[in-house]
Amino acid sequence: MLWVKAFHLIAVVCWFAAIFYLPRLFVYHAMSEDQASRERFKVMERKLYRGIGTPSMIATIVLGFWLVSYNWGYYHSAGWFWLKLALVVLLVVYHYLCGYYLRQFRDERCERGHVFFRWFNEVPVVMLLGIVILAVVKPF
């Protein structure tokens, strides 16, 4: 069980690294003025999303459910767990929303500006705070 937990935490860290950095790339991409920069950002965004972000998200979810399977009776009745799970679902939605914006940038039809992406970049911070506090403190 400790190995599963260790790999789950590693996957979470990798997923959040991608989820924090990808919208920051969107900020710079939205500010770029030359075609060479835009093409470079497209490659960076695609590699981060497909090569690190999505595999880490999948590993996080699979390993998380594996951990829960060890003691389903406890988790099933824990209110904090269900709220944490809801935040993880919102994070998955956020991840796929990043994929939507990535495709918009790829097709050069993104109408959002750098200010939007600066605010968009803060959303996973709030979710991380909630997820960690719920998992560690278990307030209810």
Side-chain angles (χ1 to χ4, degrees):
M1 181 168 124
L2 291 178
W3 283 101
V4 177
K5 185 182 280 190
F7 284 115
H8 174 68
L9 291 173
I10 291 166
V12 168
V13 169
C14 292
W15 187 23
F16 268 97
I19 241 33
F20 286 154
Y21 190 50
L22 186 58
R24 178 54 50 182
L25 288 176
F26 293 161
V27 169
Y28 301 138
H29 193 153
M31 293 174 61
S32 64
E33 297 179 0
D34 61 288
Q35 190 61 32
S37 294
R38 287 191 293 272
E39 292 303 319
R40 188 173 322 120
F41 283 119
K42 288 178 190 179
V43 171
M44 293 169 67
E45 291 159 357
R46 186 189 80 245
K47 287 183 176 184
L48 181 60
Y49 185 78
R50 295 181 72 199
I52 297 171
T54 300
S56 298
M57 176 190 69
I58 292 167
T60 296
I61 292 167
V62 168
L63 293 166
F65 279 113
W66 190 352
L67 282 172
V68 168
S69 75
Y70 287 119
N71 196 358
W72 174 244
Y74 165 72
Y75 290 108
H76 182 265
S77 62
W80 66 266
F81 170 75
W82 292 104
L83 183 54
K84 177 188 171 210
L85 193 59
L87 289 174
V88 172
V89 167
L90 289 175
L91 194 61
V92 170
V93 170
Y94 181 88
H95 178 91
Y96 282 104
L97 190 55
C98 284
Y100 170 77
Y101 288 126
L102 182 142
R103 289 185 297 280
Q104 282 195 336
F105 275 118
R106 178 196 65 201
D107 299 338
E108 298 192 16
R109 57 184 177 80
C110 186
E111 297 179 8
R112 302 282 188 176
H114 68 94
V115 174
F116 169 81
F117 287 111
R118 287 179 194 279
W119 285 103
F120 182 73
N121 191 45
E122 302 305 320
V123 172
V125 173
V126 175
M127 287 190 253
L128 177 64
L129 287 170
I131 289 168
V132 170
I133 288 168
L134 288 167
V136 173
V137 177
K138 298 172 179 58
F140 51 91

